Amino acid sequence: MPSMPAKRVAERTTGAALVPLPRVTNEAEPVDPRIGDVDEWGRSEHIRELARMLYEPLYKYWFRAEWEGLEKIPDNGGALLVANHAAAIPSDAPVIMHGIEKELGRAVYGMADHFFKGIPVVGTLWSRGGGVAADPENAYRLLREQKQLALVFPEGSKGPGKTYGERYQLRRFGRGGFVEIAMRSGVPIVPIAVVGAEESMPILAKNATLAKMFGLPYFPLTANVLAFGPLLGGLLYFPAKFKLRVLDPVYFDVPADQERYSKSMVMDEADQIRIRIQDALYDMLRKRTSVWFG
Amino acid sequence: MGKRVLITGLGAFWGGRAALALEKDPDVEMIVGLDTIEPKVELERTEYVRADQSYSILARIVEATQVDTILHTFLEMDSTRMSGRKLHEINVIGTMNLLAAAGAPGSSVRHIIVKSSTLVYGANQSDPAWFREEMTRTAPPRTRVERSIIEVEGYLRDFADDNPHVVVSLLRFSNVLGTDITTALSRALEMPLVPSILGFDPQVQFTEEDDVIRTIEFVMANRIPGIFNVAGDGKLPWSEVVSICGKRRLPLTPVGTGTVAALLDLVRAIDLPPEVLDLLRYGRGVDNRRLKRAGFQYHYTSAGAVESFVRASRLRKTVGNSRPEYHYERDVENFFRHSPAVVREHE
């Protein structure tokens, strides 16, 4: 809805025409009797702490996550973390968020589709654990105004929806929206290449009819289900070795807060970032001797 | 010469509260209030005119009283109070007549303040965490109250375009809690077990009722044009709201919530209309910074509004309704305002 014109001075019957300025007072800030620690995004540091405690064994002994170039993630200021996305139930987001929060002591907001917000319990836990709906408005406020770290997977659900045969083949990076957000927010993009997620819960086959029936982006048959049975296999990952490589941050040579950015420039930058992550993945896979031991 | 103010909905909660506040303002010379029902608060100098709900006599009143400011509080946001049809009549037809009177040739009206609601944004799955004034809702409205407010705002936008000499202030208030107001949410929070939706803990926002009146006074005194979200700072999860109230939650099923709510209404436990169920599922946040930039300072945060409500409801529980009921007697009111026998200081 377009806003009404900002200033409109009306003549008054008395002829005294000026709009009086609002009084400037120095009132104290109102007291805020909060009792919880849930922030405006729904994230709770208490719940994150608990989640980190519970997740640490999985991170350390199951996936044995190993980072390279973690120092490239800025200690302060906003940055948009961009990674490849994989596994039927993506295992990469928790690993990245856990690793950065543990090593750098900085909160990471994981941006994902609005889809999650609609699932009972899961949506609430996701939100308390640092999940935020991937909306340009949310990203701008997080990055520009609050100078936080936000994590996005530009492949969206097409990344985790890949079958095993397509592993480590990056999908299209959306329409480059993530680049535009970073430009508008005036923050760098930090690409991260993740190896291991693909093998933690590989998809053998998909069924479009079932997906439609359940309103899901894809309905997978995973190797885990075959190995561990339908119940346990729906939750239990294979202990693939995780390796994460942080690539050099990309700074954009454009002013922040523009109304629009050249679409061709945005698409070009997005593609270059995609290629850099893809190249890093190939390099890491060349050096990998075992899926389980790295 | 001070402001000459016309208030719509004088007999309803907000009209009455606004009139009480404006009577104290020496810059307000004259107040005339319209409603279908009599005022429920004790007013000193406000003139009450009975009108039908679509305000067909409004043009005559505006001409006769030469008001320069209209405060339109008579928009019904609580669909538990009346049928959808009546609500539509009040909101849409009432506003149409009001704007027709205000925009008539030779009209003395120079400022219109409308008390709208953040219901225009709705509460949907694909909403951003914060709505700014220029953003639109992400899903089409499902309820009559939401549709009617959107229609009202449309009329108002057209009016502002057609009448550039009139300052139009459109205030979108988030859910209000406070010492006196009763809404579907406040009723929910006063139940022994507070309804919620299983598996959902949405972030909600509140405005304290005093801040509502202060906002109206602020835009009136400073003649500030434009659309403004009004909501206390911060958001808090519904579970925390319930905790501050010292209550526990009664989770409704996430599937078929509407049916469960209809059953609750049927047994007269509580009426939770669809727009409230949407809020209890997805929550809503509106960015209040535009009004702050204009110079307004809130006295309460969202959590502060909840606390203010809790304190008042504790008092009510102990001593009952602490405010005496007031019954409007036309003859008595006329006597005090107009009888030559009454000595009036200000004359």
Side-chain angles (χ1 to χ4, degrees):
Chain A
M1 175 163 155
S3 57
M4 293 171 197
K7 269 263 160 355
R8 202 182 270 161
V9 183
E11 80 271 32
R12 291 175 60 176
T13 40
T14 52
L18 285 179
V19 177
L21 284 171
R23 276 173 315 213
V24 178
T25 48
N26 284 316
E27 289 179 56
E29 283 287 303
V31 284
D32 194 24
R34 288 290 304 269
I35 52 175
D37 75 332
V38 177
D39 71 8
E40 62 176 77
W41 305 104
R43 182 184 188 276
S44 156
E45 184 52 36
H46 268 106
I47 291 177
R48 269 311 296 175
E49 218 177 280
L50 187 70
R52 280 197 296 270
M53 209 178 76
L54 294 173
Y55 193 73
E56 176 66 16
L58 202 65
Y59 178 84
K60 203 167 164 185
Y61 300 112
W62 197 257
F63 292 133
R64 292 146 292 140
E66 211 174 280
W67 286 82
E68 194 183 322
L70 204 55
E71 71 285 351
K72 289 174 188 166
I73 296 170
D75 290 330
N76 51 57
L80 185 62
L81 313 173
V82 170
N84 57 311
H85 207 19
I89 300 171
S91 49
D92 37 24
V95 169
I96 295 174
M97 289 166 75
H98 181 92
I100 293 174
E101 291 195 350
K102 189 180 134 191
E103 304 292 340
L104 269 71
R106 281 195 75 175
V108 183
Y109 290 87
M111 310 207 76
D113 196 84
H114 288 284
F115 169 75
F116 286 93
K117 232 164 57 182
I119 315 172
V121 185
V122 174
T124 305
L125 288 176
W126 169 72
S127 165
R128 295 293 172 272
V132 174
D135 186 290
E137 294 286 340
N138 290 349
Y140 178 85
R141 191 168 163 118
L142 268 171
L143 295 168
R144 178 82 175 153
E145 294 172 10
Q146 303 179 350
K147 307 194 181 332
Q148 297 282 3
L149 292 179
L151 168 67
V152 294
F153 299 99
E155 291 169 278
S157 65
K158 289 189 204 72
K162 296 192 297 276
T163 52
Y164 190 59
E166 302 163 315
R167 62 191 183 279
Y168 298 113
Q169 301 296 317
L170 290 192
R171 306 285 102 171
R172 183 163 60 86
F173 267 20
R175 280 160 288 173
F178 69 106
V179 169
E180 210 169 329
I181 285 163
M183 287 176 169
R184 184 166 296 131
S185 309
V187 299
I189 284 181
V190 185
I192 303 173
V194 187
V195 165
E198 296 273 15
E199 288 88 357
S200 66
M201 197 179 276
I203 297 177
L204 302 178
K206 290 185 288 186
N207 189 303
T209 322
L210 285 170
K212 216 170 181 178
M213 234 172 73
F214 291 101
L216 297 168
Y218 50 87
F219 192 94
L221 171 68
T222 63
N224 307 54
V225 168
L226 293 188
F228 307 126
L231 281 178
L232 195 59
L235 296 167
L236 190 64
Y237 291 110
F238 291 127
K241 167 83 177 172
F242 258 71
K243 284 197 167 177
L244 304 102
R245 183 186 287 181
V246 184
L247 311 181
D248 288 332
V250 184
Y251 293 87
F252 300 105
D253 196 16
V254 290
D257 290 318
Q258 300 285 96
E259 188 96 330
R260 253 157 34 86
Y261 291 89
S262 144
K263 203 73 204 165
S264 62
M265 181 172 67
V266 166
M267 290 303 286
D268 193 47
E269 294 282 3
D271 211 41
Q272 278 182 35
I273 290 166
R274 198 186 82 92
I275 291 167
R276 281 183 52 206
I277 295 178
Q278 183 73 76
D279 286 349
L281 285 175
Y282 287 154
D283 184 56
M284 290 159 86
L285 291 171
R286 254 181 238 120
K287 290 176 184 153
R288 180 170 80 163
T289 50
S290 155
V291 169
W292 316 112
F293 303 106
Chain B
M1 205 167 107
K3 287 179 197 297
R4 302 175 69 81
V5 182
L6 182 138
I7 302 177
T8 66
L10 188 69
F13 181 83
W14 291 115
R17 281 292 293 267
L20 279 175
L22 293 179
E23 283 194 340
K24 295 199 192 90
D25 186 347
D27 282 346
V28 176
E29 181 187 299
M30 188 277 299
I31 308 165
V32 52
L34 257 71
D35 210 322
T36 52
I37 51 167
E38 289 163 346
K40 291 187 195 63
V41 289
E42 189 172 352
L43 296 164
E44 258 170 48
R45 59 189 179 104
T46 304
E47 301 278 352
Y48 163 61
V49 184
R50 186 186 296 273
D52 63 296
Q53 63 195 19
S54 55
Y55 293 143
S56 45
I57 59 163
L58 205 106
R60 279 173 62 197
I61 295 173
V62 169
E63 205 192 328
T65 56
Q66 291 288 301
V67 292
D68 49 51
T69 306
I70 293 178
L71 172 57
H72 189 28
T73 69
F74 198 35
L75 289 169
E76 186 55 67
M77 307 300 175
D78 190 348
S79 61
T80 61
R81 285 174 200 276
M82 58 185 67
S83 73
R85 183 162 301 167
K86 189 169 175 209
L87 186 142
H88 184 268
E89 177 88 4
I90 285 177
N91 289 357
V92 177
I93 310 299
T95 306
M96 264 177 74
N97 286 333
L98 180 88
L99 295 178
S107 158
S108 53
V109 176
R110 293 293 173 270
H111 189 187
I112 294 183
I113 301 157
V114 177
K115 185 185 166 294
S116 181
S117 157
T118 55
L119 279 175
V120 289
Y121 302 114
N124 293 290
Q125 187 173 343
S126 43
D127 285 351
W130 299 95
F131 278 106
R132 277 177 289 108
E133 288 82 351
E134 61 270 29
M135 289 158 68
T136 50
R137 55 187 298 142
T138 58
R142 294 194 298 135
T143 63
R144 207 146 190 176
V145 57
E146 290 178 336
R147 276 199 298 273
S148 77
I149 299 167
I150 290 168
E151 240 177 282
V152 163
E153 289 204 355
Y155 286 134
L156 204 68
R157 205 163 44 232
D158 292 346
F159 177 87
D161 287 344
D162 296 343
N163 298 274
H165 61 288
V166 179
V167 173
V168 177
S169 318
L170 175 58
L171 303 171
R172 289 177 182 155
F173 291 95
S174 71
N175 294 81
V176 182
L177 281 181
T179 49
D180 295 307
I181 190 166
T182 314
T183 65
L185 278 187
S186 77
R187 277 194 294 269
L189 288 170
E190 289 203 309
M191 290 180 72
L193 286 172
V194 181
S196 68
I197 299 176
L198 186 71
F200 290 92
D201 193 9
Q203 303 252 79
V204 286
Q205 231 179 351
F206 293 101
T207 317
E208 215 280 341
E209 61 185 50
D210 285 343
D211 275 341
V212 175
I213 296 299
R214 288 180 59 245
T215 317
I216 291 171
E217 290 180 295
F218 176 80
V219 295
M220 191 180 289
N222 299 300
R223 297 172 66 83
I224 302 174
I227 306 173
F228 297 94
N229 291 334
V230 188
D233 279 344
K235 289 198 275 195
L236 63 167
W238 182 243
S239 60
E240 191 176 331
V241 174
V242 176
S243 300
I244 294 178
C245 294
K247 297 283 173 71
R248 299 176 74 97
R249 282 177 292 168
L250 170 74
L252 313 181
T253 55
V255 182
T257 319
T259 315
V260 178
L263 283 172
L264 284 177
D265 189 24
L266 203 69
V267 299
R268 299 283 156 131
I270 189 167
D271 184 4
L272 296 168
E275 63 274 12
V276 170
L277 293 179
D278 283 350
L279 188 76
L280 291 182
R281 189 175 289 256
Y282 299 119
R284 173 168 55 234
V286 297
D287 190 335
N288 64 6
R289 290 179 294 185
R290 185 186 278 179
L291 187 65
K292 283 185 178 172
R293 278 196 297 271
F296 184 75
Q297 278 174 308
Y298 289 89
H299 281 178
Y300 296 87
T301 64
S302 284
V306 178
E307 198 190 44
S308 159
F309 161 76
V310 176
R311 289 183 174 164
S313 87
R314 279 196 210 115
L315 180 67
R316 259 198 301 278
K317 229 185 276 166
T318 320
V319 301
N321 207 343
S322 60
R323 290 197 187 216
E325 286 259 327
Y326 178 75
H327 292 289
Y328 184 90
E329 297 283 352
R330 177 166 294 272
D331 293 344
V332 177
E333 300 286 342
N334 278 340
F335 170 76
F336 281 116
R337 282 173 180 74
H338 305 297
S339 166
V342 176
V343 180
R344 293 182 188 83
E345 274 173 44
H346 53 274
E347 273 170 18

